[in-house]
């Protein structure tokens, strides 16, 4: 019987502990309700359910699939697109990213790891030139890279970035299509977020979430793409879904790219729009701004009403009829009265106007508008000066805002290069090797393939508020050994240092050949050996 007595004693202890906790919680609730002591029923005030400031804040806790379900995502995408079309601040944020992250396009420069592939540095330079030439042949021609034969690769970069930010994600398929006059057959086909979903708009499964099919560890296996847009039916075309494998069955090459705006949780399969956290303040700010603008317009078009006294001769014509030219807005022949610039509206006998002064423009509009935009910019990682392109503060503050913004731009640029630019380039190198356009010994080995595909992506330069100070700072960084000419050239001009220095050498040699400047001392001449007899 001893084991039973032991179990009874343990149960009694648990019961006593439960009663003690319940009494302590009740006492804490009484203290909080009475407003004394500041105590809470939890050790973390943020977890309290009885504090008045926290009582109504009870969010749900669920998986990425539950917290970001289909209906909420579709609503966020729809509102984000509408804000992109009609809200000035929202469009400014997206366009600012497009211009600074991509601009005229991220240019690729091959950087073959010559030690890994077993060649000399000079041979690697020649190989880099061949790879860059092949990539230029593909990326510069819309018929080569774009499945729609409309945009070149640099324009596709901008479209991919904007689509992923506005809709949360965008998919890029790589169909194989031969075209007359083209060298490559790999095309890049952009697929909008709306078209990827479960077949026949079915429910999610254990291994599929909103068109993304994945394996047991969560890696994507296939994407299910609708032939059109769900809910949009065209004559003579039924909606069908196609299963696109993410990786090649034999080679393991990635065939479909998934570019997401952000991935904030492990296991998240679809991306959220970039503007999702600020859609509510954006909508309110747009309504407030539109109302203030309309009030200012009405104030500028304030119309004068003429009131006639009892001594006015009713047989006379109204003043508006006596005028030779009627300004727009004061024609009362149809009984309608409307506002107009400098209009005078004549009133009938017994009518008395109620004068209302709108008091516009509102002097408090700009400070309040700026304060809200600051909060929106903080959530979007864009300083106010950068978001509004209004550098009204000091040089130091403006430069700090620009540098902080460029940290965010650099992150987005790196993200785009990893998810879209580099994978699409590797597909082209694969095809070039298969077609015999370039000889890369040992390319079938994964390690050497990585070494051959290494490259850097150089985007538009950051720019400077004071270029002379920036140039001196770059020279100082090089002199003390914390940077090099390649990094500084890419940062200041957006061009590779090798190309700049080669062009510079050609220019200097041309000037020397045409006697446009005296030959400077190179400083490389070997000094003469001292004569012992002279010493």
């Amino acid at each position: 019987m001893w084991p039973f007595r032991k179990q009874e004693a343990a149960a009694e202890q648990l019961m006593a502990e439960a009663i003690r906790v319940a009494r302590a919680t009740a006492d804490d609730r009484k203290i909080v309700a009475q407003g004394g002591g500041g105590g809470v029923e939890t050790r973390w005030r943020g977890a309290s359910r009885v504090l008045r400031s926290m009582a109504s804040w009870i969010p749900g806790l669920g998986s990425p699939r539950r917290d970001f379900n289909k209906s909420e995502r579709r609503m966020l995408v729809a509102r984000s697109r509408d804000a992109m079309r009609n809200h000035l601040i929202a469009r400014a944020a997206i366009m600012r990213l497009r211009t600074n992250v991509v601009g005229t396009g991220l240019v690729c420069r091959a950087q073959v790891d010559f030690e890994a592939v077993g060649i000399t540095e000079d041979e690697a330079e020649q190989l880099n030139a061949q790879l860059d030439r092949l990539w230029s042949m593909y990326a510069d021609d819309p018929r080569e890279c774009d499945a729609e034969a409309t945009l070149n690769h640099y324009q596709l970069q901008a479209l991919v970035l904007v689509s992923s930010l506005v809709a949360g994600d965008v998919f890029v398929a790589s169909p194989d299509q031969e075209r007359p006059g083209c060298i490559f057959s790999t095309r890049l086909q952009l697929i909008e977020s709306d078209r990827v979903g479960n077949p026949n708009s079915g429910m999610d499964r254990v291994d599929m979430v909103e068109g993304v099919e994945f394996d047991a560890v969560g890696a994507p296996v296939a994407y299910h793409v609708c032939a059109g847009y769900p809910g949009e039916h065209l004559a003579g075309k039924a909606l069908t879904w196609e299963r696109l494998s993410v990786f090649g069955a034999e080679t393991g090459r990635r065939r479909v790219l998934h570019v997401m705006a952000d991935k904030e949780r492990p296991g998240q399969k679809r991306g959220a729009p970039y503007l999702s956290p600020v859609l509510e303040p954006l909508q309110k700010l747009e309504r407030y701004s539109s109302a203030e603008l309309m009030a200012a317009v009405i104030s500028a078009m304030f119309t004068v009403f003429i009131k006639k006294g009892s001594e006015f001769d009713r047989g006379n014509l109204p003043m508006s009829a006596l005028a030779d030219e009627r300004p727009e807005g004061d024609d009362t022949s149809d009984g309608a009265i409307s506002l107009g610039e400098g209009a005078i509206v004549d009133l009938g006998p017994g009518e008395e106007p109620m004068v209302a002064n709108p008091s516009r423009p509102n002097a408090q509009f700009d400070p309040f508008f700026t304060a809200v935009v600051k909060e929106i910019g903080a959530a979007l990682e864009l300083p106010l000066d950068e978001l509004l392109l209004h550098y009204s503060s000091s040089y130091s503050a403006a430069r700090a805002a620009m540098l902080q913004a460029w940290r965010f731009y650099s992150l987005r640029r790196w993200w785009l290069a990893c998810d879209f630019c580099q994978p699409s380039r590797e597909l082209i190198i694969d095809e070039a090797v298969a077609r015999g356009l370039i000889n890369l010994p040992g390319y079938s080995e994964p390690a050497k393939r990585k070494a051959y595909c290494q490259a850097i992506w150089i985007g538009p330069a950051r720019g400077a508020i004071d270029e002379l100070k920036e140039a001196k700072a770059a020279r100082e960084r090089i002199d003390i050994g914390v940077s090099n000419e390649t990094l500084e050239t890419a940062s200041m001009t957006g061009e590779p240092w090798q190309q700049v220095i080669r062009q510079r050498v050609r220019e200097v040699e041309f000037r020397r050949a045409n006697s446009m400047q005296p030959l400077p001392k190179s400083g490389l001449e070997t000094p003469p050996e001292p004569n012992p007899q002279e010493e």
Side-chain angles (χ1 to χ4, degrees), residues 335-517:
I337 299 177
S338 59
L339 298 178
E341 297 87 347
I344 300 176
V345 176
D346 192 15
L347 298 180
E351 296 178 348
E352 183 177 356
M354 298 298 294
V355 178
N357 184 10
S359 300
R360 291 296 188 274
N362 183 8
Q364 301 301 322
F365 170 75
D366 186 67
F368 179 77
F369 180 85
T370 302
V372 177
V373 173
K374 283 182 181 178
E375 294 184 357
I376 294 175
L380 299 180
E381 296 189 72
L382 290 175
L384 175 67
D385 296 357
E386 188 75 11
L387 183 58
L388 298 181
L389 291 181
H390 182 62
Y391 300 93
S392 58
S393 54
S394 63
Y395 168 80
S396 300
R399 188 173 184 275
M402 180 180 292
L403 293 176
Q404 186 62 36
W406 268 91
R407 290 184 179 180
F408 178 55
Y409 297 149
S410 300
L411 172 63
R412 288 290 175 178
R413 183 178 292 179
W414 172 80
W415 193 285
L416 180 65
C418 292
D419 286 2
F420 174 69
C421 299
Q422 183 64 21
S424 60
R425 178 179 179 270
E426 293 178 1
L427 290 175
I428 301 310
I429 298 179
D430 292 346
E431 183 178 353
V433 172
R435 289 179 177 269
L437 299 177
I438 189 172
N439 182 27
L440 301 178
Y443 188 78
S444 58
E445 301 177 17
K448 289 189 176 181
R449 181 176 180 269
K450 289 290 184 182
Y452 282 122
C453 292
Q454 285 189 5
I456 58 174
W457 294 87
I458 303 174
R462 179 182 64 198
I465 300 177
D466 190 334
E467 294 190 3
L468 182 59
K469 290 183 179 179
E470 296 289 344
K472 290 181 179 180
R475 181 175 182 177
E476 188 68 21
R477 286 192 292 267
I478 294 174
D479 290 342
I480 65 177
V482 298
S483 183
N484 55 56
E485 296 183 12
T486 300
L487 293 178
E488 297 298 336
T489 303
S491 175
M492 298 185 67
T493 66
E495 297 291 336
W497 176 81
Q498 294 84 352
Q499 180 177 339
V500 173
I501 196 65
R502 284 195 295 266
Q503 180 63 27
R504 182 60 181 155
V505 168
R506 287 193 292 266
E507 293 174 354
V508 172
E509 291 178 350
F510 181 82
R511 294 178 67 88
R512 289 177 177 176
N514 291 273
S515 301
M516 298 181 66
Q517 66 179 9

Side-chain angles (χ1 to χ4, degrees), residues 134 137 144 178-179 181-185 187 431 435 437:
L134 283 173
M137 294 168 60
E144 290 280 1
E178 295 287 348
R179 282 178 179 167
C182 291
I183 302 173
F184 300 92
S185 61
R187 314 292 174 217
E431 183 178 353
R435 289 179 177 269
L437 299 177

Side-chain angles (χ1 to χ4, degrees), residues 21-35:
V21 172
R23 289 177 177 176
T25 303
D27 293 340
D28 289 341
R29 289 180 178 176
K30 290 179 181 179
I31 295 175
V32 174
Q34 295 173 0

